[in-house]
Amino acid sequence: MDLFDVYPLVDIKPVRALGATLWDDKGQEYLDFYGGHAVISIGHSHPHYVQRLTEQLQNIGFYSNSVRIPIQTQLAHKLGQVSGYEDYALFLCNSGAEANENALKLASFHTGKTRVVSFKGAFHGRTSGAVAATDNPKIVAPFNAGHAISFVDYDLKAVSEILQGGDVCAVIVEPIQGVGGIIMPSDDFLQGLSLLCGAHNVVLIADEVQSGYGRSGKFFAHQHAGIRPDIISVAKGMGNGFPVGGILISPALKASYGLLGTTFGGNHLACAAALAVLEVIEDEHLLAHATELGHYLRTELLAHAGALEIRGRGLMVGIKYGFPIKKIRDKLLTEHHIFVGNASDPAVLRLLPPLNITKAEVDRFLAALYALAAEKIETV
Ligand code: PMP
């Protein structure tokens, strides 16, 4: 059987990785400034992470949610403590799309309403419900057409007008748009949005699947604006490569048996991976590190990258050029052996290095980028 051919693939076969370094089957070394779409938060194969997963696998790898799984409770406590959401509850699933599906469903159950407000350029996943909350026509299937979704700009007046219709269950927002090109709604906007949702009894969902887990320098990117959303969806960096996702749920939303469900969500191995990530974030002070190195990286880029704009916070960085970045991205990989990402906007280079990236590794990336800028690579 062949693989279903839906991804354009570069001809590199990584076989080993440590920290921000990957090696392919020919022994070539690569620097990872992308972490497989923001997944690698504490670095590849971190020793503490490997140890926790290995020990867990030797004891029990999986049993279903029909029994008590102590490590789930341990994870919920630790996540509450590290994130500052001790009074919220945790529902565990397996991916970002699933987290958003559950968040939207819960909001709809809670309010008895169906309309969702989402923002232009947003990305919330590719499953049926979540896909309906994105405006990318390429990934919206015909059956999604029935959903009542309103797409708006970051404009409080526009949101307010829709909320006055009285049929909205949720507003879903990425505190920093990832796939869209590292676009940040202002802190004022997020504060206004939170107030509006509160006033209309609408559930505010912060999609922190990409921007969460320390990526922005705070545990959650919305914490820069000082708001407390009703539901926060997480995945990607949560498991550092092990598929795990979840939603953090405000005490105002009540649980009942059968409301949400999953087979694999919160399995022993996923919880071991997620706990290891939180322990490393805490032990290695990765929020402070991401703030510091993110500041250094953006300051350098502002001065020397020759870009139109440097976007983002912490180690979630977008470099907006005045031309498509495809050639820069290709040359960084083939000539300098550095992985970086792209975005829906073809002129944005997306950087999502591990949170424990070193200054020497940042300097190596910058030197490569400047070398390409000196070659005036965009015109090649
Ligand atoms: N939300 C955001 C903000 C994302 O960036 C992504 C993935 N790019 C998703 C949801 C979907 O996550 P997953 O691919 O794990 O389903």
Side-chain angles (χ1 to χ4, degrees):
M1 191 190 293
D2 275 335
L3 296 174
F4 197 51
D5 192 15
V6 289
Y7 297 110
L9 300 175
V10 287
D11 195 17
I12 293 172
K13 302 184 187 94
V15 290
R16 198 159 68 83
L18 189 66
T21 307
L22 294 158
W23 290 268
D24 72 8
D25 57 342
K26 300 183 190 79
Q28 177 64 54
E29 189 177 307
Y30 295 84
L31 177 62
D32 189 0
F33 250 65
Y34 188 52
H37 310 304
V39 166
I40 302 301
S41 46
I42 59 166
H44 294 275
S45 301
H46 190 290
H48 179 66
Y49 175 84
V50 172
Q51 188 193 346
R52 255 211 178 271
L53 271 169
T54 310
E55 281 172 9
Q56 185 61 52
L57 194 54
Q58 280 160 353
N59 295 332
I60 177 170
F62 174 81
Y63 202 74
S64 82
N65 282 307
S66 58
V67 295
R68 288 206 181 273
I69 299 178
I71 197 171
Q72 283 186 352
T73 318
Q74 218 184 322
L75 171 61
H77 286 168
K78 187 80 192 165
L79 178 55
Q81 175 226 319
V82 177
S83 69
Y85 278 95
E86 270 163 307
D87 55 333
Y88 278 44
L90 177 65
F91 177 78
L92 288 162
C93 56
N94 310 287
S95 69
E98 246 189 90
N100 287 327
E101 290 278 6
N102 283 298
L104 293 170
K105 204 157 118 184
L106 197 52
S108 186
F109 277 134
H110 177 68
T111 58
K113 297 174 182 173
T114 54
R115 181 172 295 280
V116 170
V117 176
S118 181
F119 294 91
K120 290 182 183 164
F123 186 92
H124 298 294
R126 291 178 183 245
T127 52
S128 61
V131 81
T134 158
D135 64 350
N136 182 343
K138 277 201 224 142
I139 61 172
V140 178
F143 72 88
N144 295 128
H147 287 266
I149 309 279
S150 303
F151 291 103
V152 287
D153 293 310
Y154 294 129
D155 172 0
L156 289 175
K157 199 163 158 281
V159 177
S160 171
E161 274 164 22
I162 298 169
L163 298 199
Q164 274 159 33
D167 61 344
V168 176
C169 64
V171 173
I172 183 165
V173 63
E174 289 163 271
I176 304 176
Q177 270 189 14
V179 175
I182 317 295
I183 312 273
M184 289 208 296
S186 69
D187 291 349
D188 284 352
F189 175 80
L190 290 177
Q191 287 155 10
L193 194 63
S194 175
L195 288 175
L196 268 178
C197 286
H200 289 273
N201 208 12
V202 165
V203 175
L204 178 59
I205 302 169
D207 179 348
E208 293 271 8
V209 166
Q210 190 162 152
S211 57
Y213 269 76
R215 175 107 341 248
S216 75
K218 289 200 187 281
F219 193 84
F220 288 126
H222 69 257
Q223 290 171 323
H224 292 278
I227 60 165
R228 278 175 92 76
D230 303 297
I231 304 181
I232 303 157
S233 41
V234 290
K236 291 196 188 275
M238 181 178 191
N240 199 49
F242 198 100
V244 55
I247 46 177
L248 285 70
I249 304 155
S250 138
L253 284 86
K254 300 293 174 218
S256 60
Y257 291 160
L259 193 65
L260 304 177
T262 167
T263 300
F264 289 121
N267 67 74
H268 292 80
L269 280 174
C271 291
L275 257 179
V277 167
L278 292 173
E279 287 159 354
V280 171
I281 286 181
E282 211 175 33
D283 292 350
E284 297 186 6
H285 310 289
L286 293 187
L287 302 190
H289 186 77
T291 304
E292 192 187 324
L293 281 217
H295 178 71
Y296 172 65
L297 175 60
R298 277 197 315 282
T299 310
E300 281 288 312
L301 289 171
L302 266 173
H304 304 293
L308 296 182
E309 205 185 325
I310 307 300
R311 297 175 178 165
R313 265 176 166 148
L315 288 171
M316 183 164 183
V317 177
I319 313 177
K320 168 83 174 177
Y321 286 100
F323 49 83
I325 54 86
K326 187 176 179 322
K327 279 181 190 139
I328 295 187
R329 190 174 175 225
D330 289 350
K331 289 214 165 205
L332 277 171
L333 187 59
T334 55
E335 292 179 9
H336 296 269
H337 305 116
I338 300 176
F339 283 95
V340 294
N342 58 357
S344 311
D345 177 347
V348 173
L349 201 68
R350 194 157 48 122
L351 307 179
L352 300 155
L355 302 181
N356 48 9
I357 192 93
T358 64
K359 182 167 176 295
E361 286 163 337
V362 170
D363 285 339
R364 189 180 148 210
F365 163 76
L366 290 170
L369 190 71
Y370 299 160
L372 293 178
E375 283 177 40
K376 298 217 171 307
I377 199 67
E378 77 270 22
T379 58
V380 174

